[in-house]
Amino acid sequence: MRQFDLCLSSEGSEVVLATSSDEKHPPENIIDGNPETFWTTTGMFPQEFIICFHKHVKVEKLIIQSYLDFVHTEGQLQNEEILVHDGYCTYLRFIITKAFDHFISVHCVSAEGLVVSNHS
């Protein structure tokens, strides 16, 4: 079976919940495959977003590109890789509890893995 990015909107995924939205930087930008677009929060924490796959998948690795700045890194996009064990799911929920600044941006969430089954 071929592994690919399960989070792309072109693969049928969508952001079904986000705690904040800016019309210039909507949550859908997280999964559009374009590194130049992003979702930005409108202040305060926690912030949350949920990605729905619309199929049952096995996620093996998550990659999150953002400006969260837990440690202040001026102008440097942060890449966080998370290896997942037994990552069978239909939804991914992300909760951001704190950051260096009041506003953060999430540029991309990638989930490398396999489709296990389609919903009927």
Side-chain angles (χ1 to χ4, degrees):
M1 295 178 105
R2 180 178 72 90
Q3 249 190 343
F4 58 95
D5 185 355
L6 301 164
C7 282
L8 291 173
S9 55
S10 61
E11 295 294 333
S13 295
E14 69 177 312
V15 177
V16 294
L17 178 132
T19 51
S20 61
S21 186
D22 178 308
E23 64 183 43
K24 293 181 182 177
H25 307 289
E28 295 78 22
N29 288 350
I30 296 170
I31 59 172
D32 68 0
N34 181 351
E36 300 298 317
T37 63
F38 55 91
W39 169 63
T40 187
T41 64
T42 54
M44 298 182 54
F45 292 96
Q47 292 287 328
E48 179 178 347
F49 62 94
I50 298 174
I51 297 172
C52 177
F53 297 114
H54 296 289
K55 44 189 118 172
H56 192 67
V57 300
K58 181 181 181 193
V59 175
E60 296 179 357
K61 181 168 64 170
L62 290 171
I63 302 168
I64 304 163
Q65 294 180 326
S66 64
Y67 284 114
L68 294 177
D69 286 334
F70 294 121
V71 177
H72 189 59
T73 54
E74 186 68 39
Q76 184 178 348
L77 190 61
Q78 298 169 323
N79 289 314
E80 183 75 29
E81 286 192 23
I82 302 165
L83 294 177
V84 181
H85 304 285
D86 298 321
Y88 292 93
C89 62
T90 304
Y91 296 88
L92 283 178
R93 179 180 181 199
F94 296 85
I95 301 172
I96 303 164
T97 58
K98 64 181 180 175
F100 182 79
D101 201 351
H102 297 290
F103 302 93
I104 57 106
S105 62
V106 178
H107 290 249
C108 178
V109 172
S110 298
E112 293 179 9
L114 307 165
V115 173
V116 177
S117 66
N118 290 316
H119 282 97
S120 301

